[in-house]
Amino acid sequence: MKKALVISGTSTIGTEMIKQMQQEYTQIIVTGRNQKKLEKLRLQFPQVQTMQLDVTKNPTDVLEANRDLWKDLDFVLICAGAGEINPTLEPEMEDQILAVNVNGCAAVLRYFVRLFWKKDAGHIAVITSLAGMLPNGDAASYGASKAFLSHYIAAIRMQLKKRKNHVILTDIRPGLVDTPMAKGEKLFWVAPVEKAAKQIYNQLRRKKERIIVTKRWKALYVICRLLPLDH
């Protein structure tokens, strides 16, 4: 029997990932901020257990209060994310994006890294974004927050390897996927969420440390890494 946790599984991509994960995990716990969405998810997946969690409101306290649930946990997928087009840098919008993508995700990631490294096993994956590679003046906080997450994951992975610890960390960097997060005009290479989720899951099963989806975005990822960009 294998057990998984999906943080913010009520998101579009989170729900699609749950569909894929049913193949492998006999028990899946799903968190979300919206109770109505959690109830809808429970009707869609009767075997799924749900728990209300807002990553911007002391998430580690909530996780610690439910510590018994995580004793036999094998895999954690962190899908929490916020993003808006905000060219005028409206403070409230910027603060909310950073609260979710930086403080919230980092807090959840730290909690489970520390939990897993004590047992020297486990797999944690975080959905970041290829948007973290290039500055975008219309969505400054979104791209910057995703860049932070990717950098944070890489740094923690270095610490785990230094400790010769067997916890696996995966940075999932999607390109444009057809979800409410994909905002803007004349978007290109927008992938169906089902296609993206299937490609992500196939690579997660191979314990990849970095996943770029969909396949056509991998070429752009390589090009971006070669560009002499001044950030």
Side-chain angles (χ1 to χ4, degrees), residues 11-42:
S11 64
T12 304
I13 198 164
T15 302
E16 285 298 324
M17 288 302 300
I18 293 167
K19 292 179 183 178
Q20 297 292 325
M21 291 165 62
Q22 288 183 111
Q23 305 172 34
E24 184 174 359
Y25 295 93
T26 52
Q27 185 178 2
I28 303 176
I29 302 171
V30 180
T31 77
R33 181 180 61 181
N34 188 303
Q35 187 61 42
K36 289 184 178 180
K37 288 185 178 181
L38 287 172
E39 291 171 2
K40 183 179 179 180
L41 197 68
R42 195 160 52 238

Side-chain angles (χ1 to χ4, degrees), residues 93-179:
M93 190 180 295
E94 293 291 281
D95 289 346
Q96 179 61 24
I97 292 168
L98 295 173
V100 175
N101 296 354
V102 176
N103 294 333
C105 286
V108 174
L109 175 59
R110 280 195 306 270
Y111 180 86
F112 285 106
V113 166
R114 289 171 61 84
L115 189 72
F116 279 3
W117 76 23
K118 290 178 181 178
K119 64 177 184 178
D120 195 21
H123 185 182
I124 305 170
V126 185
I127 295 182
T128 63
S129 174
L130 280 177
M133 294 192 67
L134 295 171
N136 181 344
D138 289 334
S141 60
Y142 178 73
S145 63
K146 294 299 185 177
F148 162 82
L149 268 181
S150 290
H151 191 97
Y152 197 50
I153 292 165
I156 294 174
R157 188 186 295 120
M158 289 174 64
Q159 182 61 236
L160 290 169
K161 290 182 177 180
K162 181 179 178 181
R163 293 168 176 259
K164 297 183 179 179
N165 196 285
H166 295 91
V167 176
I168 299 168
L169 283 187
T170 299
D171 180 358
I172 303 169
R173 303 186 190 182
L176 288 172
V177 180
D178 189 14
T179 73

